[in-house]
Amino acid sequence: MIFDINKIKQDFPILQQNIYGKPLAYFDNAATAQKPKVVIDTVSKYYSEENANIHRGAHYLSNKATESFENARKNIQQYINAENSHEIIFTKGTTDSINLVASSFGRKFISKDDEIIISVMEHHSNIVPWQILCEEKKAKLNVIPINEKGEIIFDTFEELLNEKTKLVAITHVSNALGTINPVKEIISKAHEKNIPVLIDGAQSIPHLKVDVKKLDCDFYCFSGHKVYAPMGVGILYGKEKFLEEMPPYQSGGEMIKNVTFKKTVFNELPFKFEAGTPNVGGVLGLSAAFDYLNKIGRENIEVYENELLNYASEELQKINGLRFIGTAKHKTSLISFLIGDIHPYDAGIIIDKMGVAIRTGHHCAQPVMDWFKIPGTIRASFAFYNTKDENGRLTEAILQVKKMFG
Amino acid sequence: MTIQEIENQIISEFANFDDWMDKYNYLIDLGKSIPLIDQKNKINNNLISGCQSKVWLRAEYNDGKIIFTADSDAVITKGIANLLIRVLSNHTPDEIINADFKFIDIIGLNEHLSPTRSNGLISMIKQMKLYALAFKTKMEAN
């Protein structure tokens, strides 16, 4: 299929509107991506024609919904190339996935004086769960530093690995800087010492072809809503050997095999970790989003987004007084910057009024903002439905900000 | 002037603006115009939490009236603080507690009342009313 940007943009109903009388230029994709019509239709069709509780009733609709749900699991397994479909756990999102591992893996494998490694550029959701776990277990949280470009310092990471290290939890792509971390190298280094690695994939799954078998990561977490699927659904991929040994996270219906007041026997994988009625509509939407991305071609998406990143970077570099935060060699299509001394919040208000949706602030990554000694940034994050013309609108908005605050 | 009279004055000033750009240029001017707070009072104790930008707010009680001073590291937020101070400062705790801030909606700044904005407008109003309540309680106890 030839990558036709005009045709692709038509697939997204929300992008067809005007805001403040101007066509919407949506550059807040790292916060949440828009949904193609096929995803919206899938969710709508599920509630119009198939809705029933799954894995329970012996009636027609329940069987049909269960089949669709389990087919979606297989589809997602294939998309990230996991070995088994029972290694795909449905969660509410990345945050939920990481909390599941922190709670269950933590309970089983972390004890006093153990160490967990994260990096400076983590999103709060890959910091706070480990902080809480370390406090509870009296374990230690070690942090990999970064250089001025926003790349992790690999030598220090290697030095931090020792016999007390029980887990490395690191983001694949930084949500604030766009840096693509060398996760394959990180994983192989950690595995040399038999240390498992969790990858926060929230910002990588929308942009990169992710193969969990090739990466050999032990856990990989992501959210549906950042990859063109509905909100409220996410994935925890975990290697069977860990998932089998980990105790359940939440408890209730679905995750049990047999309950008496004396003893409960837990269900097998993946149901052991899926207590309660899942977000079936969301899961089907996620599966449909992956079908859609496959149809466009994941290589095509990567090539186009790279082209857009290079174009936007060059255009923005022409504007005087812009300071770029995060200039790593390997980046996804995300640009974080400041306009002179103008507070990102001030800039954000004006850029919004120009019909351009960006995000300002610390992007739930305060430690990395502190590292750069800034209150926050203006972040434009691109998706494959964005265009060079739209980037021109961003340039125009930045010039307007400079005019008003200069 | 009463709070209502000041609000009416602001409403008629804003009625002159044709579009959002004029309005924001005015807020930016208000934000740049004067230092609103003594440098020595820009301390963590006076910081209001829950804002994307930093906002310092100080209240002093003088002869039955409250004097507010504020500052922010974001210019538009400072401009909005300037407006709030103009409306509320130099009034009695009762007057401040009863202020309804209808002018914010009328001059078209209601979008800043949305919680997602986290620009401090809501937090500033809340903090100003809390100060008024605290001074009122203290005054009645004496």
Side-chain angles (χ1 to χ4, degrees), chain A residues 345-346 352-353 360 400, chain B residues 21 52 75-76 111 117 119:
Chain A
Y345 178 75
D346 282 329
D352 168 55
K353 289 283 181 194
T360 62
Q400 181 66 32
Chain B
M21 228 181 271
Q52 222 188 79
V75 180
I76 292 175
E111 60 182 320
R117 285 287 179 171
N119 71 338

Side-chain angles (χ1 to χ4, degrees), chain A residues 338-376:
Chain A
L338 289 164
I339 310 171
D341 294 330
I342 300 165
H343 197 285
Y345 178 75
D346 282 329
I349 289 175
I350 305 305
I351 294 172
D352 168 55
K353 289 283 181 194
M354 303 287 286
V356 178
I358 44 92
R359 178 156 173 197
T360 62
H362 55 60
H363 317 297
C364 298
Q366 278 176 7
V368 79
M369 296 295 127
D370 289 345
W371 192 92
F372 282 101
K373 295 190 175 60
I374 50 176

